[in-house]
Amino acid sequence: MALRTQVEAVFSDSGLLSEAMTSFAPRPGQVEMAKAVANAIEEVKILAVEAGTGVGKTYAYLVPALLSGERVMVSTATKALQDQLFVRDIPRLLKALGLSLRVALLKGRSSYLCMQGLSTARQAAENLDVVALRQLARVEDWALSTRSGDIAEVNDLDDASPVLGLVTSTRENCLGSQCPHANHCHTQWARQDAMKADVVVVNHHLFFADLNIRESGVAELLPSVRTVIFDEAHHLNDIGVQFLARQFSTGQLKSLGRDVLMVGQSLARGFSDWLGLQAQLEGAARVLEEAVKPLGTSARLGWKDAAPKGLWSNDWQTGVNDCVAALQNAHNILLQMDERGPEFTALAQRAENGSKAILYFAQDIALGCARWVELGVHLRLSESPLNIAEAMRSVLQPDPDVKSQKSWIFTSATLGVDDQLSWFVNSCGLEGAQVLKVESPFDYMKQASVYVPPDFPKPSEAGHTQAVAQLIFEGASRLNGRTLVLTTTKKAMHHLGSLLRALFADGGMAMDVLVQGEAAKRALIDRFCKDPKQGECGCILVATASFWEGIDIAGDALQLLVIDKLPFAPPDDPLMQSRAHAMQVLGKNAFKDLHLPTASIALKQGAGRLIRSEIDRGILVVCDVRLLKMGYGRKLMAALPAMQRLPDPEAWHLALNALQPSLPITST
């Protein structure tokens, strides 16, 4: 029986999914997508599918993939979706379809416990503080019983914990076959499981890491796979560019210094001044960071000449020379210790690689690339291709004379702003791919409305953030919270959080204002979704970055979504500037063909947080008058779902009244 016919039967009213899942109901868009995926698998095609919110794209690609009988690799942008597919979606579908397939989860090596790292950390425990010692003890207890070695199983180990770097490995510090624990390596076990599996769930980071350095395990897996599916595919270009880039970070110097001290004191105490060597490495890192610090943190600085933009070339060169000297000195000392264990050989190699990496940035920038520095927790030097098109073409069609023997499926809720999905297709080198757009089944005209305040300060004007806070205060007061605020910058997020807390305090009104970063993401969402009982205050969540997508808050918990301004990329971002210049060379309009589509995709992602089910209702507010007054505003509005337009404050107040809950907000 043809795969398409099987798929149609499974999704029918009397099909296997309806029989196995009481909550399942066929959706025309889901069936359309599933049949397109089935065709692509059978005909060995490349397919890009934009599936609107509520289509059910996960089942739409999994059902034909699982029924195909071929080996399948599914890649996601986030570990959260990766875990969801492995733990929930795939097992549920296999049971419903009556299939018995081997499924494996493969993450990067930093996600797995390294027994050698754990042993070394234990020997150097004297260098850890009390909190880190407790966390290390927790990992040691867990290590006795874990089978997978997935460090995510240690629930109380914070992502920022210094212990994570001690008990996991990197490509640089892995001892390979020389490791005393080579026969008890969780990373290798995970890769072996993946090679035996019928379905393997990976992530985009792994996929591109393997294209670049061929060490993640995907290189061995990919040739044997017949169907490759990328979910959350709109992230592919950004993630791919990141992993195909050449990079050097002062974090590498500091990490090397810590490991040199730990290994040196554990295995060769007294043979060298390990503390002094660590101090030299960390001191060199600080000199380079200090050269950039006067220009501020977090911003990317373009780099076309001898030094990054805005820096004195002498100060920069001094920092570079110090780093090279520290790394070369460490390399020479560590090489003399190689007989005392493979750990020293690995450390020497890391020092040599670091020296080569920073010296690369003393050369002219490569053609077709962008180069920049970025100062956050560490200083990072990067040079990347402008997009992943060339790299993807080499993977999709490695030999132009031989027809590909793989089916490639790319899907997301947002892939473009036109019917050809050109924003995504062109950046990923998918010219000639089949394209499908499946609309959301939600009735946005009845379920949602959109309001752009007509008499509002421009985002560039001083009073804009205060006006946004006042609007949120007005709406959230009526709804007893139930408000998510998405900002385009961390600065705006923190400013809005402070203003809202002051407004509610001054008004004598109780409201829980949550700000991203003040608690774990999961904890913030759990608190936000908690339904306030009689007399309890509601909740506002102010967030940026990762909250623009990937969070699913269905029901009445979210009824007001406020976006502070249009999410255009910073005009001085070096990568965007280089992409814009490349487009201009080709005779294209950088604003129309780059900046506008990028902002549109981000806006669609953010707006997609509002309506998550057929019963949701809510208001989207975009506090940016450019949507009304600039010509491109119509294009951005057209990219959003067709919601009811609220033309003025009166309509805005009426829409709030229609949503207003029966529970009154309480006073303090």
Side-chain angles (χ1 to χ4, degrees):
M1 183 186 299
L3 182 58
R4 175 181 172 132
T5 305
Q6 295 180 60
V7 167
E8 285 183 299
V10 166
F11 281 100
S12 69
D13 288 325
S14 57
L16 293 176
L17 295 183
S18 293
E19 291 178 1
M21 304 174 187
T22 55
S23 61
F24 178 80
R27 306 174 205 175
Q30 187 179 48
V31 177
E32 181 185 6
M33 177 178 171
K35 290 192 294 186
V37 172
N39 283 340
I41 292 174
E42 284 195 311
E43 298 173 9
V44 197
K45 298 287 187 181
I46 301 172
L47 172 68
V49 185
E50 181 178 273
T53 305
V55 165
K57 61 182 172 62
T58 303
Y59 280 18
Y61 67 69
L62 281 178
V63 167
L66 296 176
L67 289 173
S68 70
E70 305 286 359
R71 291 197 78 196
V72 178
M73 183 170 77
V74 182
S75 180
T76 73
T78 58
K79 290 181 182 179
L81 180 55
Q82 196 182 1
D83 288 333
Q84 176 187 310
L85 289 171
F86 179 72
V87 174
R88 189 186 75 182
D89 294 335
I90 294 176
R92 186 180 293 176
L93 276 179
L94 289 177
K95 183 178 180 181
L97 299 175
L99 297 175
S100 178
L101 300 176
R102 292 169 297 182
V103 184
L105 180 69
L106 184 60
K107 298 181 179 180
R109 64 167 65 249
S110 62
S111 294
Y112 298 103
L113 172 69
C114 171
M115 297 303 296
Q116 175 62 13
L118 181 61
S119 175
T120 304
R122 187 184 300 117
Q123 294 176 40
E126 64 189 60
N127 298 314
L128 302 177
D129 60 31
V130 174
V131 174
L133 283 172
R134 289 199 194 101
Q135 293 176 342
L136 180 61
R138 173 73 182 90
V139 173
E140 288 180 309
D141 290 341
W142 163 76
L144 298 174
S145 59
T146 182
R147 167 61 181 87
S148 72
D150 189 340
I151 205 73
E153 292 177 357
V154 188
N155 295 325
D156 53 353
L157 194 62
D158 188 275
D159 287 346
S161 170
V163 171
L164 274 179
L166 301 179
V167 300
T168 60
S169 71
T170 64
R171 179 175 63 92
E172 290 79 14
N173 66 20
C174 176
L175 301 180
S177 59
Q178 293 183 297
C179 178
H181 300 276
N183 294 327
H184 196 107
C185 178
H186 291 289
T187 299
Q188 289 303 320
W189 286 351
R191 293 177 180 177
Q192 291 166 12
D193 288 346
M195 290 302 299
K196 297 173 186 175
D198 302 298
V199 181
V200 185
V201 185
V202 302
N203 57 60
H204 304 345
H205 299 79
L206 259 186
F207 180 83
F208 284 106
D210 214 79
L211 286 186
N212 193 19
I213 54 180
R214 304 184 67 80
E215 74 89 34
S216 72
V218 174
E220 293 81 14
L221 177 67
L222 197 56
S224 65
V225 170
R226 290 295 305 277
T227 298
V228 182
I229 301 169
F230 291 96
D231 200 345
E232 301 177 309
H234 62 285
H235 282 296
L236 270 177
N237 193 42
D238 287 341
I239 292 175
V241 163
Q242 173 190 346
F243 275 85
L244 295 174
R246 287 180 175 268
Q247 293 185 336
F248 174 81
S249 167
T250 53
Q252 293 173 239
L253 277 170
K254 297 171 186 176
S255 173
L256 177 63
R258 288 192 299 269
D259 290 349
V260 163
L261 178 63
M262 185 166 57
V263 172
Q265 290 190 339
S266 299
L267 304 180
R269 185 184 291 270
F271 281 79
S272 187
D273 180 10
W274 303 116
L275 193 59
L277 188 53
Q278 181 199 27
Q280 184 187 13
L281 289 165
E282 292 199 351
R286 283 195 296 272
V287 169
L288 200 60
E289 290 170 350
E290 288 296 324
V292 177
K293 205 168 186 178
L295 299 181
T297 60
S298 298
R300 287 179 171 183
L301 302 177
W303 186 0
K304 295 180 181 179
D305 302 315
K309 184 178 179 181
L311 299 183
W312 290 103
S313 121
N314 288 344
D315 293 345
W316 176 254
Q317 195 57 52
T318 297
V320 169
N321 292 341
D322 283 359
C323 288
V324 172
L327 286 163
Q328 291 179 346
N329 181 48
H331 176 256
N332 294 334
I333 292 173
L334 292 163
L335 272 185
Q336 298 171 21
M337 300 289 163
D338 61 351
E339 293 183 358
R340 301 196 65 82
E343 294 88 349
F344 291 100
T345 306
L347 288 170
Q349 187 63 56
R350 285 170 63 185
E352 183 179 20
N353 291 343
S355 178
K356 289 179 179 178
I358 193 169
L359 284 172
Y360 173 83
F361 287 93
Q363 305 173 25
D364 292 339
I365 183 172
L367 189 65
C369 289
R371 182 183 285 186
W372 67 90
V373 296
E374 191 170 1
L375 180 58
V377 178
H378 307 296
L379 178 67
R380 183 178 300 278
L381 288 61
S382 299
E383 181 181 292
S384 77
L386 301 184
N387 58 45
I388 62 170
E390 184 177 344
M392 287 300 294
R393 290 189 195 106
S394 68
V395 177
L396 296 169
Q397 196 69 55
D399 186 345
D401 298 324
V402 178
K403 182 181 178 182
S404 172
Q405 294 302 306
K406 285 184 184 24
S407 304
W408 298 83
I409 316 297
F410 301 83
T411 187
S412 169
T414 49
L415 287 183
V417 294
D418 56 19
D419 290 338
Q420 293 74 42
L421 305 180
S422 22
W423 175 85
F424 174 76
V425 168
N426 294 339
S427 66
C428 293
L430 305 182
E431 296 84 356
Q434 295 179 349
V435 171
L436 174 66
K437 290 187 72 171
V438 183
E439 298 299 328
S440 169
F442 300 152
D443 189 344
Y444 282 96
M445 192 59 72
K446 290 184 178 179
Q447 293 180 249
S449 53
V450 57
Y451 179 50
V452 182
D455 299 315
F456 213 75
K458 295 178 181 178
S460 58
E461 294 177 354
H464 179 263
T465 304
Q466 182 68 52
V468 174
Q470 191 64 45
L471 180 143
I472 297 167
F473 173 74
E474 180 181 274
S477 297
R478 299 272 195 99
L479 300 176
N480 193 20
R482 307 174 192 274
T483 300
L484 172 64
V485 183
L486 296 177
T487 69
T488 54
T489 64
K490 287 185 178 179
K491 181 180 179 181
M493 176 185 73
H494 290 299
H495 192 189
L496 273 174
S498 299
L499 289 173
L500 287 169
R501 285 168 177 162
L503 283 171
F504 282 103
D506 292 345
M509 307 176 81
M511 183 65 67
D512 196 354
V513 179
L514 308 175
V515 177
Q516 181 184 351
E518 294 181 351
K521 183 176 182 180
R522 184 71 260 167
L524 290 173
I525 294 174
D526 288 345
R527 168 63 189 94
F528 184 79
C529 292
K530 184 181 178 183
D531 190 29
K533 298 177 182 178
Q534 183 69 40
E536 290 185 345
C537 68
C539 188
I540 300 172
L541 175 55
V542 187
T544 188
S546 61
F547 279 76
W548 278 73
E549 58 182 281
I551 61 169
D552 194 350
I553 303 172
D556 291 342
L558 172 57
Q559 292 189 321
L560 177 60
L561 173 64
V562 180
I563 294 176
D564 70 333
K565 64 179 181 178
L566 294 174
F568 283 108
D572 57 349
D573 180 87
L575 185 55
M576 292 297 286
Q577 285 183 336
S578 296
R579 286 172 175 167
H581 178 70
M583 284 193 163
Q584 290 166 353
V585 169
L586 295 173
K588 295 183 178 181
N589 184 300
F591 181 78
K592 185 181 78 171
D593 296 323
L594 175 64
H595 294 290
L596 198 57
T598 303
S600 180
I601 294 293
L603 184 63
K604 286 171 67 176
Q605 282 287 344
R609 300 315 98 210
L610 182 62
I611 303 298
R612 306 299 297 178
S613 75
E614 288 84 352
I615 63 171
D616 288 2
R617 294 185 307 145
I619 305 172
L620 167 66
V621 181
V622 184
C623 300
D624 196 326
V625 293
R626 290 177 293 179
L627 275 173
L628 303 177
K629 298 182 178 181
M630 302 300 292
Y632 59 77
R634 290 191 298 272
K635 292 185 177 181
L636 289 171
M637 288 293 287
L640 294 173
M643 295 177 276
Q644 180 184 352
R645 295 283 295 273
L646 304 177
D648 50 42
E650 182 180 358
W652 151 247
H653 293 144
L654 288 173
L656 282 174
N657 290 338
L659 291 175
Q660 195 166 350
S662 57
L663 295 177
I665 192 165
T666 58
S667 298
T668 54

